[in-house]
Amino acid sequence: MGKLHQMIERNSIVLVLMITIVASIGGIIEIAPLFTIQNTVEKVEGMRVYTPLELAGRDIYVREGCYACHSQMIRKLKTDVDRYGHYSLAAESMYDRPFQWGSKRTGPDLARIGGRRSDEWHVRHLKEPRKVVKGSLMPGYAFLADTDIDPQRIALSIKALQWAGDPYTDEMVKEAAKDAIRQASPDMDDAESIKERYGEKVQIRDFDGNPARVTEMDAMVAYLQMLGTLVDTKALRAAVKAQRQAAESKPAGKAKEVAAR
Amino acid sequence: MEKNSCRAECAISLLPVLAVAALGGVFTLVGKEPILVFHGAIMALSGALAALYLFRKMLAPPAEIPLEYNDKIIRAAVIMILIWGIIGFGVGDIVAWQLAYPNLNFDLPWTNFGRLRPVHTTAVILGFGGNALLATSFYVVQRTSRARLAGQVTPWLVFWGYNLFVFLGVTGYLFGVTQSREYAEPEWYADLLALLVWIGYFWIFLATLARRAERHIYVANWYFLGFIIAFAMLHIVNNLSVPISLEYAKSYSLFTGVQDAMTQWWYGHNAVGFFLTAAFLGMLYYFLPKAANRPIYSYRLSIIGFWGLVFTYMWAGSHHLHYTALPDWVQVLGMSMSLILLVPSWASVFNGFFTLNGAWHKLRYDPALRFMTLAVLFYAIATFEGVFMALKPVNALSHYTDWTVGHVHAGALGWVAFITIGSLYKLVPWVWHREGTYSRRLEAWHFWLALSGAVIYVGAMWNAGITQSLMWQTYDANGQFVYSFMDSVDMLHPYYVARAIGGLLYLVGFMIGAYNIWLTINPPTPAEIPSTPETRPLPASGVVAQPAAQPAE
Ligand code: HEM
Ligand code: HEM
């Protein structure tokens, strides 16, 4: 070791090359396969790209640093599943740039918050969290209700996401700015047309209780209300159960494999 | 004496400088968000000033290169350490109080916890820590190579460019400009600036090593080099993103979901491994032996420690993603490699402690050495704890709780900041040519305040985290949860108050330290010592400049 290392530490270029090689190995072996191994992200029904309004909400979530206190990742642990619902699938964050799994739960997990509370609850809670939940540590975000969304920026975002590889159609890109308004304005004649682009399950309504404007509060609530609702986890659980039962008769090793999927 | 003009270096530097100025100019003209216009104006102005500076240097007649070490750059970085330290610890304590008393959020956009928290992490890690690394690496590479720092203008461009990067990051968060990637929050334009800066830093380091009068590259420099190279790789890959336009600051990551998570925590863990660990080990490997006036205990341990660290850290990132949707094989691999990581980590711990053999008595009267020794102890604790937390069953308990925060600050307050402060108390008198710091008593005050602050902070968070975790997992006989989520939040309050008080002690200690350093620099009774041999490289045949810092074998 002595001789070899003497050589390395007398030559800065050799040292640099050695460091570069030795430090690259781990990342290459752990990250590169994630892009090529097919089953890293499972195929599930229901996943779709974010609508422009939801995306605007997500951007606000990132902007305000909600991820600093809330995770969006229900781990494959009994305690997590019992408290927050079906564990999070890889597919459920397949359109998340960047991912929002978080690393600290100062507040509860939000991966399946969609549909659990009413819009009114969310609006009141975002405005004055400590009035709605006694003892909460959450800051208030009343200012969201006073700020209009910026449709032009949202359109640019959708375009960038399409460029990055998310399956937004050209029509979605073209309609993005208008779709952002439509989703929070059920009274508009062509509001329902979003469903042609994003599917029947898209929620179209005035989220913030102020029909006169489309605010950041609309966007935020629209985002929260769709979180974790795209994949039908009830059906998924039933399917896994059925598979497991079917596999019961097969050798034990196989059964385990199926259950793990 | 050599004469030199700055033709080539200045001309090459002009390109990145003008690029930054141009990008800033574009933002100023087309930007639709006030913060982007502001950032653009700052970038354009800084770029223009830097370009002017370069032109003046280019046109000036060839100047003599002074024989002295370049210590001016180190002095500048020292000042920035103090400024970012006070900002970073101060904001850290503000967010700590916000968690104890949420009314302190004031429910305004720019004062809420979510926006302030990254201000804290960036100011302490990149601001305080980054400038500490600039200062010490520039000091160490010159002394151990017995050569003046390479570059006439590049060190200054690196210094100002780097601090501009941190400034853009921190001010951006207040207005909601963030990528939300922990420890890599600054948006794409700041990241580009950082990349340019890093290329300059790398060049300075290599060019200085190329001039060295010593045959061997001293071990501290291996660590600094490892840090510079690894961080460049991490920074480039993790920040790949698609900007939405030049009118808005926003960008979207090039990766999604699982792949994005793995990339980010490959970055995140190695920000810990190379920024907060390897580089500060470089500091340790120079300043500890110098302060103790003892040679490094074992050359062999340093080699094992170094290569083990460089190889293994890069595998361990997935322990941040246990039980998530990340494929199992990556989790298990990350866990296993984290276990192995204990070996190179503790190799440095042993090397540090055994180096102190024969110098333990100095701890009694030298608070700076005490800071460094405690830093090694905290490093030992944090790495042991980290390995423990990387085990999947333990992580099932610790993840998402304040236990993680406790672990972070055992490393941050106890290791990163202690080794920096200890080194600063040695470095400042050396580069300002003083006999010692203004006051050892103030040093001792700083030490005890910092130590009690760190112990209170970490102790409170360990208790808080473990209690929280147990409350989340307790079922009654019917299989129902005993505690609601809010029960676990209510329980935290006293611990959060204690943590905030610990943080306050730490902050006050640091301010006393800054005052002490300020008076060391500007003594009430001036007593400048004339240029000592340490301020300039000795002729190659001369006495070895750093006997104590040479490997023992
Ligand atoms: C006066 C001293 C300090 C105080 C009061 C303080 C306080 C805090 C607080 C309250 C948080 C947020 C925790 C949470 O979200 O629950 C935090 C996070 C953090 N701090 Fe500090 N801090 C201090 C010093 C430092 C130093 C010196 C460093 C690094 C060198 C550091 C690095 C971090 C990091 C990396 C996080 C994020 C932790 C995570 O994501 O798990 N802090 N700090
Ligand atoms: C052998 C050494 C170490 C290992 C194996 C290790 C392991 C870990 C583990 C398992 C976590 C928790 C991840 C999670 O559940 O989210 C963690 C978090 C962290 N550690 Fe360490 N650790 C080590 C040393 C250090 C040191 C010396 C520091 C210095 C400051 C440090 C700073 C951090 C930070 C900042 C985080 C929080 C990341 C985040 O969630 O934002 N670690 N570490």
Side-chain angles (χ1 to χ4, degrees), chain A residues 9-10 64 82 103 130, chain B residues 103 115 212 215 299 475:
Chain A
E9 68 189 61
R10 279 182 195 171
E64 298 303 330
D82 286 350
S103 58
R130 283 157 272 134
Chain B
N103 283 338
R115 291 192 188 186
R212 72 185 183 279
R215 284 187 76 188
Y299 172 61
Y475 292 93

Side-chain angles (χ1 to χ4, degrees), chain B residues 77-106:
Chain B
V78 165
I79 302 299
M80 293 313 285
I81 299 174
L82 301 181
I83 294 175
W84 284 119
I86 291 173
I87 296 175
F89 302 150
V91 177
D93 207 40
I94 291 175
V95 295
W97 286 111
Q98 285 182 333
L99 286 176
Y101 300 99
N103 283 338
L104 294 173
N105 281 288
F106 302 117

Side-chain angles (χ1 to χ4, degrees), chain B residues 442-462:
Chain B
L442 289 182
E443 268 184 55
W445 269 98
H446 182 185
F447 175 77
W448 290 112
L449 281 169
L451 183 60
S452 36
V455 169
I456 293 173
Y457 188 127
V458 176
M461 289 302 99
W462 277 338

Side-chain angles (χ1 to χ4, degrees), chain A residues 75 77 79-80 105, chain B residues 322-323 388-389 391-404 462 464-474:
Chain A
R75 294 170 295 169
L77 291 170
T79 46
D80 259 30
R105 277 184 191 150
Chain B
H322 280 336
Y323 301 103
F388 189 56
M389 289 164 69
L391 301 172
K392 286 186 77 172
V394 180
N395 196 266
L397 278 167
S398 70
H399 191 58
Y400 289 140
T401 72
D402 276 305
W403 186 352
T404 305
W462 277 338
I466 291 170
T467 314
Q468 194 176 26
S469 172
L470 294 178
M471 287 177 83
W472 290 350
Q473 328 233 347
T474 310

